[in-house]
């Protein structure tokens, strides 16, 4: 099987991410979801991605990020949430 390490779907008008969206892609290290229309991040969205080191979510419509969404990722170094609608 081919392993996918980088996933870029920026600028694709993505509105939602299913909590199991990356279930079969456990080798992913970098995800670019910037410049989309995502409003909510569920805590299990990235749960199988233990090698994840970069998540780019800038320029979306994020209002809600569930508690513990980014916990349990020892290799995660970059999370870009700039230019969203997060208030607290």
């Amino acid at each position: 099987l081919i392993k996918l390490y980088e996933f870029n779907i920026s600028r694709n008008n993505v509105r939602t991410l299913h909590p199991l969206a990356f279930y079969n892609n456990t080798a992913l290290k970098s995800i670019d979801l910037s410049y989309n229309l995502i409003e909510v991040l569920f805590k299990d969205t990235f749960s199988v991605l233990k090698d994840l080191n970069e998540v780019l979510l800038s320029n979306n419509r994020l209002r809600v990020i569930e508690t513990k969404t980014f916990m349990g990722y020892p290799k995660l170094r970059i999370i870009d949430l700039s230019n969203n609608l997060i208030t607290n």
Side-chain angles (χ1 to χ4, degrees):
L1 290 174
I2 296 173
K3 291 185 179 182
L4 185 63
Y5 297 104
E6 295 181 17
F7 185 68
N8 183 336
I9 55 169
S10 61
R11 301 178 190 269
N12 275 283
N13 294 317
V14 175
R15 293 180 181 275
T16 59
L17 289 174
H18 189 277
L20 299 175
F22 301 107
Y23 183 75
N24 289 320
N25 296 295
T26 58
L28 279 174
K29 296 178 186 294
S30 174
I31 298 174
D32 187 349
L33 296 159
S34 57
Y35 293 92
N36 279 295
L37 304 170
I38 301 167
E39 294 183 9
V40 177
L41 270 186
F42 298 102
K43 68 177 181 166
D44 294 329
T45 302
F46 308 114
S47 63
V48 297
L49 305 177
K50 300 306 176 192
D51 290 331
L52 192 61
N53 61 41
E54 178 181 59
V55 178
L56 306 177
L57 286 155
S58 64
N59 298 288
N60 275 281
R61 294 182 181 172
L62 278 171
R63 294 179 185 274
V64 176
I65 298 174
E66 286 189 345
T67 304
K68 300 184 181 180
T69 296
F70 294 109
M71 290 185 69
Y73 305 94
K75 298 179 182 178
L76 188 56
R77 300 290 180 254
I78 299 170
I79 304 170
D80 186 352
L81 298 169
S82 60
N83 298 314
N84 278 287
L85 303 173
I86 303 165
T87 57
N88 58 8

